[in-house]
């Protein structure tokens, strides 16, 4: 079936370095993607989103890149800080449900920022 | 805005007891979602509502689970009777019908069934 998945379950980076978290998707018709951040003991928090008519979108210290050719998106965090330590999920509307309101979440990547 | 509000934040109960989780969505949002999160299965959608009406409950694991939304500002998820395998974090999320599909999550309820 269609799925959204993550390449790596864990990522460790030095404080101040840039982080890149990857996500692969299998549905070529997917037209909208969301990145969420989930800190320990908290709910997923919206970070940034991107539509398929764009290949790049920037926020505060974060950039999402979308490569529709290889069905891959990435979340880049500049100058990673200890507060960035969390699990990061990519999500897309669930095409199998018939409702764009349902989201399919990837398994998540645990980002650990080292001092 | 206060965001999505959930209560209780933590619940410890014994097997067989009834558990009721509560959610207040963001004001003006007309979609409400209930999720369950475990290490083994990740985030699972249980049920969602649109304008207080249940739209898809195919994710509800068993008849022991039920959800209601009596008005636009309140929803409950009930487990009766509870079992140890129901132990998880339960999240409520809400979104707007117009525009983006972005869902905004509450802080979750950590449920432990002994």
């Amino acid at each position: 079936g269609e799925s959204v998945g993550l390449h790596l379950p864990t990522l460790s980076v030095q404080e101040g370095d840039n982080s890149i978290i990857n996500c692969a998707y299998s549905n070529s018709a997917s037209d909208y993607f969301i990145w969420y951040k989930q800190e320990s003991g908290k709910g997923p928090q919206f970070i940034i989103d991107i539509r398929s008519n764009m290949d790049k979108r920037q926020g505060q210290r974060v950039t999402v890149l979308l490569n529709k050719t290889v069905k891959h998106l990435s979340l880049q965090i500049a100058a990673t800080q200890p507060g960035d330590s969390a699990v990061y999920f990519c999500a897309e509307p669930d095409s199998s449900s018939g409702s764009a309101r349902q989201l399919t979440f990837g398994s998540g990547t645990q980002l650990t920022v080292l001092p | 805005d206060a965001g999505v509000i959930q209560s209780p934040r933590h619940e410890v109960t014994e097997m067989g007891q009834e558990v009721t989780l509560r959610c207040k969505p963001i004001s003006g949002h007309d979609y409400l979602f209930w999720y369950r999160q475990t290490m083994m299965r990740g985030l699972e959608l249980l049920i969602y509502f649109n304008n207080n009406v249940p739209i898809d409950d195919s994710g509800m694991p068993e008849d022991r689970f039920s959800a209601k939304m009596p008005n636009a500002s309140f929803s409950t998820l009930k487990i009766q009777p509870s079992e140890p395998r129901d132990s998880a974090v339960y999240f409520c999320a809400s979104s707007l019908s117009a525009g983006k599909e972005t869902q905004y999550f509450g802080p979750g309820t950590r449920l432990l069934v002994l």
Side-chain angles (χ1 to χ4, degrees):
Chain A
E2 303 292 356
S3 65
V4 174
L6 293 173
H7 289 307
L8 298 172
T10 62
L11 176 66
S12 296
V13 297
Q14 292 292 138
E15 183 178 352
D17 287 351
N18 296 334
S19 302
I20 300 176
I21 301 170
N22 297 304
C23 181
Y25 62 95
S26 55
N27 182 7
S28 57
S30 294
D31 62 357
Y32 179 63
F33 303 90
I34 310 167
W35 280 100
Y36 285 91
K37 171 187 180 183
Q38 186 175 20
E39 297 176 81
S40 179
K42 298 183 179 180
Q45 177 186 10
F46 170 82
I47 302 174
I48 193 169
D49 57 4
I50 188 169
R51 293 222 175 256
S52 60
N53 60 353
M54 304 171 68
D55 53 18
K56 180 179 180 179
R57 189 166 189 214
Q58 288 184 298
Q60 186 177 14
R61 284 200 307 116
V62 295
T63 301
V64 57
L65 299 177
L66 176 61
N67 185 331
K68 294 179 284 295
T69 303
V70 295
K71 292 183 284 189
H72 179 272
L73 68 159
S74 65
L75 177 71
Q76 300 180 3
I77 305 173
T80 312
Q81 302 170 359
D84 296 326
S85 293
V87 176
Y88 290 81
F89 296 94
C90 60
E92 64 171 342
D94 186 349
S95 60
S96 66
S97 70
S99 168
R101 290 298 148 186
Q102 292 189 42
L103 294 178
T104 297
F105 288 84
S107 56
T109 293
Q110 172 70 59
L111 174 66
T112 301
V113 181
L114 306 172
Chain B
D1 197 314
V4 175
I5 299 172
Q6 290 187 248
S7 65
R9 294 294 311 276
H10 303 273
E11 178 80 31
V12 180
T13 190
E14 293 186 342
M15 182 175 62
Q17 297 297 305
E18 177 180 294
V19 175
T20 299
L21 312 180
R22 298 173 177 80
C23 175
K24 176 179 168 57
I26 293 172
S27 177
H29 283 193
D30 48 6
Y31 279 83
L32 184 141
F33 305 81
W34 280 102
Y35 289 88
R36 178 172 66 177
Q37 186 177 41
T38 62
M39 290 294 292
M40 292 298 294
R41 301 172 70 89
L43 265 171
E44 301 175 277
L45 177 66
L46 301 176
I47 185 171
Y48 78 96
F49 297 81
N50 178 219
N51 291 321
N52 314 337
V53 176
I55 303 301
D56 187 345
D57 65 354
S58 60
M60 295 285 262
E62 302 172 28
D63 290 345
R64 298 185 295 107
F65 285 69
S66 62
K68 295 181 180 180
M69 192 165 186
N71 58 63
S73 59
F74 183 66
S75 177
T76 60
L77 177 67
K78 185 175 294 186
I79 308 172
Q80 167 62 21
S82 59
E83 296 182 3
R85 60 192 169 128
D86 302 329
S87 297
V89 182
Y90 291 82
F91 289 105
C92 176
S94 68
S95 71
L96 280 168
S97 60
K100 300 177 182 178
E101 300 87 339
T102 305
Q103 296 177 20
Y104 296 88
F105 285 75
T109 296
R110 292 183 176 275
L111 173 65
L112 177 61
V113 182
L114 302 174

